[in-house]
Amino acid sequence: GQQLNQSPQSMFIQEGEDVSMNCTSSSIFNTWLWYKQDPGEGPVLLIALYKAGELTSNGRLTAQFGITRKDSFLNISASIPSDVGIYFCAGQLGNEKLTFGTGTRLTIIP
Amino acid sequence: GAVVSQHPSRVICKSGTSVKIECRSLDFQATTMFWYRQFPKQSLMLMATSNEGSKATYEQGVEKDKFLINHASLTLSTLTVTSAHPEDSSFYICSARRQGSYEQYFGPGTRLTVT
């Protein structure tokens, strides 16, 4: 099945640093979603974006819906140990199925 | 909140046997549930879309006779892996879409190991 390109594939940062990751698609979506998955668990929704150009924040997280509707980015400010995990973007068109990104694995170096 | 549960959380079965995984929406009605499979260090791949009271829609390359899906009520969908083989070992995750909404809520996943 189709997957969205997510970059970077992995990140190794120190606690307190800011993080930025993005997701690109060859086709448009009208909803972009960002999820976090901890080991052995299901994904948890972080932020949902419903409008091209929309910039939405959830605490230290900020995400934007690209103006072309083919991309989105997620920023995490002042990272903390519990931010460790895998982040997935997902695109959705109407009420159709979600298409997931390839994931970004975030590791915090002590 | 919208809570989705899965049972069992992990299961080990022998090659050739069948195993059933349940997905329940605990506090809302879900006309549509989705089943995903996730291999180690990979993303979630949609296997099938399950609609209450009708046949499931399978993604290309997913064998419908091997992965039986039943969505008999607005709060329960089951995935049965028939004649399991070691290559079916994976993390199976369901999600449920609340009636009248586009949002999906994910379950905690089921780790299947076939020996």
Side-chain angles (χ1 to χ4, degrees):
Chain A
Q2 180 192 2
Q3 280 190 319
L4 307 179
N5 293 318
Q6 208 170 323
S7 66
Q9 186 176 12
S10 59
M11 303 183 73
F12 296 85
I13 62 167
Q14 291 189 322
E15 184 177 349
E17 286 187 31
D18 296 342
V19 171
S20 184
M21 61 190 78
N22 65 63
C23 192
T24 59
S25 169
S26 57
S27 54
I28 63 172
F29 293 103
N30 52 26
T31 300
W32 280 94
L33 306 161
W34 284 93
Y35 291 88
K36 178 175 183 278
Q37 186 179 29
D38 291 329
E41 298 185 17
V44 174
L45 182 66
L46 299 174
I47 289 182
L49 302 156
Y50 301 106
K51 189 176 176 181
E54 179 182 356
L55 184 71
T56 297
S57 293
N58 178 9
R60 293 178 297 106
L61 278 60
T62 302
Q64 184 157 32
F65 191 143
I67 198 72
T68 65
R69 296 168 64 192
K70 292 183 178 182
D71 62 336
S72 177
F73 73 73
L74 174 70
N75 287 344
I76 305 173
S77 63
S79 58
I80 60 177
S82 61
D83 291 335
V84 166
I86 304 176
Y87 292 80
F88 291 103
C89 62
Q92 187 177 31
L93 195 61
N95 65 348
E96 294 181 358
K97 59 190 179 185
L98 296 179
T99 300
F100 277 86
T102 47
T104 295
R105 182 180 297 269
L106 179 63
T107 303
I108 294 185
I109 307 168
Chain B
V3 181
V4 176
S5 71
Q6 279 184 243
H7 178 78
S9 58
R10 54 179 64 230
V11 57
I12 300 172
C13 70
K14 292 189 175 182
S15 187
T17 62
S18 296
V19 61
K20 180 186 285 188
I21 302 169
E22 293 184 350
C23 177
R24 292 181 186 273
S25 56
L26 298 185
D27 52 359
F28 65 99
Q29 293 187 326
T31 49
T32 305
M33 290 184 172
F34 302 86
W35 286 96
Y36 296 83
R37 181 168 51 184
Q38 185 179 33
F39 292 108
K41 298 190 177 181
Q42 293 189 24
S43 186
L44 285 77
M45 296 300 293
L46 182 65
M47 298 175 66
T49 301
S50 165
N51 292 299
E52 186 265 337
S54 64
K55 289 184 179 180
T57 303
Y58 290 81
E59 295 299 298
Q60 193 173 9
V62 178
E63 299 175 57
K64 62 179 181 180
D65 294 330
K66 179 170 181 62
F67 299 98
L68 302 179
I69 292 173
N70 185 286
H71 192 160
S73 79
L74 287 173
T75 59
L76 173 64
S77 175
T78 61
L79 169 68
T80 301
V81 183
T82 63
S83 187
H85 291 287
E87 56 264 33
D88 297 325
S89 298
S90 187
F91 194 50
Y92 291 85
I93 307 171
C94 72
S95 70
R97 186 162 68 200
R98 188 195 295 264
Q99 200 171 22
S101 168
Y102 291 171
E103 291 187 31
Q104 291 185 33
Y105 302 92
F106 284 84
T110 296
R111 172 77 58 194
L112 170 64
T113 303
V114 184
T115 61

